[in-house]
Amino acid sequence: MSSGPVIMKFGGTSVGDAEAIGRLVRHIVTARQRGGVVVVVSALSKVTDRLLQLASFAAAGDEAAIQAGVTELEERHARVVREVAHNPEVLLATISRELAELRNLLHAVATLKDASPRTRDAIAAFGELLSSRIVVGACEASGLPAVWADPRRILVTNDTFGAALPLTEETRAAAASELRPALDAHRIPVVGGYVGATVGGVTTTLGRGGSDYSAAIFGAVLEAREIQIWTDVDGMMTADPRVVSETHVVPRLSFEEASELAYFGAKVLHPSTILPAVAKAIPVRILNSRRTEGAGTLITADSPVDEPLAALACKRHVTVVDITSTRMLMAHGFLRRVFEVFERCRTPIDVVCTSEVSISVTIDDDTRLQELTEELSTFADVRVEREMAILCAVGDGLRRDPQLAPRILGSLGQFPLRMVSQAASRRNVTVVLQDAAAAAAMVHLHAAFFARHVAAPAAVEGVA
Ligand code: ADP
Ligand code: ASP
Ligand code: MG
């Protein structure tokens, strides 16, 4: 096992208020007894939503809404600081300074009436920059040698604002100079997730939910011994707990299973989180920050569990686009042209089903749908169906048991399925159906495959 640090990432609800931050500090105290720790934190819960909303108010020139919004943010952060810090004055001054900067930025946007993705990133970053300072204050109040680390000096990314990609070698070098010395001095670096900067120092973000991804990137470049994702549920559950009430924790998952679940909507993990972990074979563990007991979900290269299916995931409110060739294009020429249009419109496709003359795809992001359909219509008939959902059953067991996929589809007999697909990995069976039917279909499938399942506790070491 690597002797690197443990990366402990705490999501928004785990830093939501003073009580949650108190629990977080106790988890760090426990983990620290086993070796080095790097803490990655999200913004206080709902703060990123609020910041992005303020960016939109600013773009609309609504000065009054900006002023009220920043004041409300200042009050919320100040309240938490007073409750968690021993000497709140210095921290309160730092927070006031940061928020004065935010006010200026929003004012500039309101004057120009324009919030580019670059500006929105600069605004959204304030959430993590503030929360991480508060967590340092709370750690210090408990006698922990925490030190604030600036993610804009560590996580080096490209300039795709709003969905920036990490530049691994640059980040590795920056982490070596910004985080290593603190770790070597037995200190605890606390760094905001989600936020990075370009080589030229312009602030970027990794996209919504990106703090998990930050934690995994830091884990990979520091050769961490484990990446822990502390959140508000007991681990990866057998289905989305907001949809199905009787879910269980999945004790073990393979990297591939976890990736597929995250990609198809299991929000507990950002879809890119597993990638850096795979590269260095670093275990990823999902844990409940509200509890000290429970081993959570352990994600490793291979999962020893023999269950047929690992879990279900769903992606709601997606759009299906049916594209039928109007010309006598050869199939390969047709597919190429279709995919080129999606590429040009920078719209990712999630599920694809195809015949020689027609292709159906699902898209999550429909901001450029108009442009897409116009371009596709130059060589195809296009039909759009909104309010659809993707339902996905994932498990390495699908590779072992050829009867499993037909059983899954058979059990969904009462639901009209619009698309059905099983990708080359043969780790998932994916169906597309009307969104209005998605919750019932998920509950039904869960009852058929997981109802009697009792999760065995994972016999693994290293849980805080
Ligand atoms: P955090 O703020 O800690 O990053 P998120 O809200 O991003 O937390 O992710 C946790 C939420 O993910 C849970 O509260 C749950 O509602 C949702 N979720 C969706 N699918 C799953 C799943 N299969 N297992 C666990 N949680 C899930
Ligand atoms: N605070 C960011 C968001 O809400 C990143 C994260 O929490 O992972 O999207
Ligand atoms: Mg999250």
Side-chain angles (χ1 to χ4, degrees), residues 157-202:
T157 73
N158 69 4
D159 63 358
T160 309
F161 296 101
L165 292 174
L167 303 178
T168 308
E169 286 318 312
E170 288 82 347
T171 302
R172 193 188 311 284
S177 61
E178 298 287 325
L179 297 176
R180 274 271 174 236
L183 282 168
D184 291 344
H186 304 289
R187 305 193 74 179
I188 305 169
V190 177
V191 50
Y194 175 60
V195 177
T198 62
V199 175
V202 181

Side-chain angles (χ1 to χ4, degrees), residues 9 209 212 267:
K9 178 262 170 179
D212 300 337
K267 187 178 172 243

Side-chain angles (χ1 to χ4, degrees), residues 9-13 41-49 52 124 127-128 193-195 207-214 270:
K9 178 262 170 179
F10 293 91
T13 49
V41 292
S42 291
L44 305 195
S45 54
K46 304 275 187 312
V47 165
T48 310
D49 289 342
L52 290 170
E128 272 69 11
Y194 175 60
V195 177
R208 298 308 306 271
S211 293
D212 300 337
Y213 192 18
S214 296
H270 181 278

